[in-house]
Amino acid sequence: MRKYIMTFLLVIACLSLQAQNNKSFSVLAYYTGDDKQINDFEVEKLTHIIYSFCHLKDGKLNVDNAKDSIAIKHLVSLKSKHPQLKIMLSLGGWGGCENCSAAFSTASGRAVFAKSVKEVNDYFKTDGLDLDWEYPTIEGHPGHLYQQADKKNFTELVKVLRDELGNSNELSFAAGGFKKFLDESVEWEQIMPLLDRVNIMSYDLVNGYSKVTGHHTPLFSTNKEEESTDKAVEYLLKLGIPSHKLVIGSAFYTRTWKNVENVNNGLYQSGVHTGGVSFKDFKNTLTEEKGWKYFWDKKANAPYWYNQKEKMFATSDDIASVKAKTLYVIKKKLGGIMFWELGLDATRNGMVNAIYELKTK
């Protein structure tokens, strides 16, 4: 009898540990869709939906239009069926934070913004804010103001937001996953104790401005100079940032180049950036029938495709690489995975499902 009791207690302990691990592994979906598209997805496999994007208007957090308002209200209503789910609002995005540097340059400006965030969160009953300012201190979207003072001002912004929101709302920010941002943009030691997490944008590491192909969202660097997810994570861990506050990013879309010669299957070659492909369209677009050949970089843990006839190259995450990232999160005891963006995934048996199956294994 005692043997059975001990076995029972061990099973309970294992289940408890698994539940604890599942709870600490967040799956955060950036989402740009409406109140209807979200119903096509398996929301129960997510822990967070980050509605993207809100912007500044007269220095305040602004929900831009009725469509956004309806979408946010619907997302919040999903919590009644999915109590684990948190709905957050995101400020900015690429091209969406033109006035951030100026607005956050004064104490009064930061106070006005923080108060508006609290009011908007209270009105919609959302769970917090994700700051997606691209970028403080260094050049981001062409023409947007950036200045050295942004670094300190970002710290002061985080402080006043935390004071205003208290501990009942979550506060996070999206960080560039490349060395210049990591080195220069923010005061990591000052801000991270006040934040729930940092969402590392470990994608677009080779972006649309690049005239040379490469992995845009690799897990590991293939050479000392190459940016990667692991490189950003190790940088932050060495600063003493708690691992559970680090969330890595996955891309549900390709970066694609044309005019790429058939050397090294198009990898690390010159080319002209062109439109990308959503993950949900991979099976109909990046096919052998259309001239595409699939490759797997074992060192980078990243896929890529080359079309010899069309002289085109594509780089992205796929099921294999997102599984590798999920296992990396588990091994490193990180906070989870976020991705851009939910509407690009297949509604069933896609990238989210691949993360979820390994997370709950």
Side-chain angles (χ1 to χ4, degrees):
M1 185 69 178
R2 183 178 178 183
K3 178 182 177 182
Y4 291 119
I5 292 173
M6 292 300 293
T7 302
F8 176 75
L9 291 175
L10 182 62
V11 169
I12 293 297
C14 289
L15 290 173
S16 177
L17 181 61
Q18 182 182 19
Q20 185 177 354
N21 290 338
N22 292 347
K23 185 177 180 180
S24 63
F25 190 128
S26 296
V27 182
L28 304 99
Y30 283 91
Y31 179 69
T32 66
D34 59 17
D35 61 314
K36 297 177 178 60
Q37 184 186 15
I38 190 65
N39 299 324
D40 295 333
F41 293 92
E42 296 173 302
V43 174
E44 68 274 10
K45 296 180 178 180
L46 305 172
T47 63
H48 295 69
I49 297 175
I50 306 175
Y51 189 73
S52 309
F53 287 103
C54 301
H55 298 103
L56 284 175
K57 184 177 181 181
D58 300 325
K60 299 178 180 180
L61 183 69
N62 184 61
V63 175
D64 294 335
N65 51 52
K67 171 185 168 292
D68 289 344
S69 182
I70 292 168
I72 294 167
K73 289 178 180 178
H74 180 68
L75 292 175
V76 171
S77 75
L78 297 176
K79 294 170 61 176
S80 61
K81 186 177 180 181
H82 307 288
Q84 88 291 350
L85 185 65
K86 293 187 181 295
I87 308 299
M88 299 182 71
L89 304 177
S90 185
L91 168 76
W94 185 251
C97 219
E98 181 176 5
N99 300 318
C100 287
S101 182
F104 303 146
S105 64
T106 66
S108 60
R110 294 188 292 268
V112 166
F113 175 73
K115 184 178 180 182
S116 73
V117 172
K118 181 68 163 59
E119 290 172 348
V120 171
N121 267 275
D122 288 349
Y123 174 78
F124 285 105
K125 295 182 174 59
T126 43
D127 297 296
L129 180 72
D130 182 66
L131 290 163
D132 193 1
W133 175 0
E134 302 181 31
Y135 304 104
T137 319
I138 65 173
E139 184 176 11
H141 191 276
H144 285 194
L145 176 65
Y146 63 98
Q147 50 192 332
Q148 187 58 40
D150 292 341
K151 190 171 188 176
K152 184 63 178 175
N153 291 338
F154 189 83
T155 301
E156 296 304 315
L157 176 65
V158 170
K159 288 179 180 178
V160 72
L161 280 167
R162 178 52 77 196
D163 285 344
E164 190 70 50
L165 293 173
N167 294 321
S168 59
N169 286 128
E170 293 190 2
L171 183 60
S172 62
F173 84 109
F178 53 94
K179 191 173 187 299
K180 188 172 180 63
F181 181 97
L182 297 171
D183 282 341
E184 301 178 24
S185 286
V186 299
E187 297 177 319
W188 291 102
E189 294 90 342
Q190 300 292 321
I191 62 175
M192 287 310 300
L194 302 172
L195 295 164
D196 291 275
R197 69 188 64 83
V198 52
N199 294 329
I200 306 168
M201 293 186 285
S202 45
Y203 44 75
D204 292 344
L205 299 179
V206 177
N207 59 39
Y209 297 99
S210 177
K211 296 180 181 179
V212 177
T213 68
H215 296 300
H216 97 82
T217 182
L219 181 52
F220 297 104
S221 302
T222 62
N223 61 70
K224 186 178 179 181
E225 301 303 317
E226 190 174 35
E227 306 284 7
S228 68
T229 304
D230 177 68
K231 192 173 183 178
V233 168
E234 287 300 321
Y235 180 101
L236 294 173
L237 289 176
K238 286 176 183 177
L239 289 181
I241 308 302
S243 61
H244 72 271
K245 289 194 174 187
L246 303 183
V247 169
I248 62 173
S250 180
F252 289 12
Y253 60 94
T254 68
R255 286 286 183 184
T256 306
W257 284 260
K258 61 183 180 179
N259 302 338
V260 180
E261 294 299 327
N262 186 21
V263 179
N264 196 31
N265 301 312
L267 184 61
Y268 307 128
Q269 305 303 311
S270 62
V272 178
H273 190 266
T274 185
V277 179
S278 303
F279 170 78
K280 62 186 178 183
D281 297 324
F282 282 12
K283 62 183 179 181
N284 297 319
T285 304
L286 301 174
T287 64
E288 290 186 8
E289 291 77 13
K290 293 184 178 180
W292 290 95
K293 188 173 181 181
Y294 177 89
F295 299 92
W296 176 257
D297 189 322
K298 292 182 180 178
K299 190 170 184 180
N301 275 209
Y304 61 102
W305 297 258
Y306 183 67
N307 190 318
Q308 182 177 348
K309 182 179 179 181
E310 301 294 335
K311 293 185 176 181
M312 295 185 72
F313 173 90
T315 166
S316 179
D317 272 318
D318 68 350
I319 295 293
S321 67
V322 85
K323 284 183 176 180
K325 284 183 173 178
T326 302
L327 292 173
Y328 178 88
V329 167
I330 295 169
K331 180 181 179 181
K332 292 278 190 178
K333 298 181 180 178
L334 305 182
I337 290 182
M338 64 82 172
F339 50 87
W340 186 268
E341 59 107 359
L342 184 61
L344 307 179
D345 195 15
T347 56
R348 296 293 182 276
N349 300 316
M351 301 281 262
V352 168
N353 185 67
I355 296 168
Y356 183 79
E357 285 188 341
L358 279 181
K359 169 190 169 179
T360 55
K361 191 172 181 180

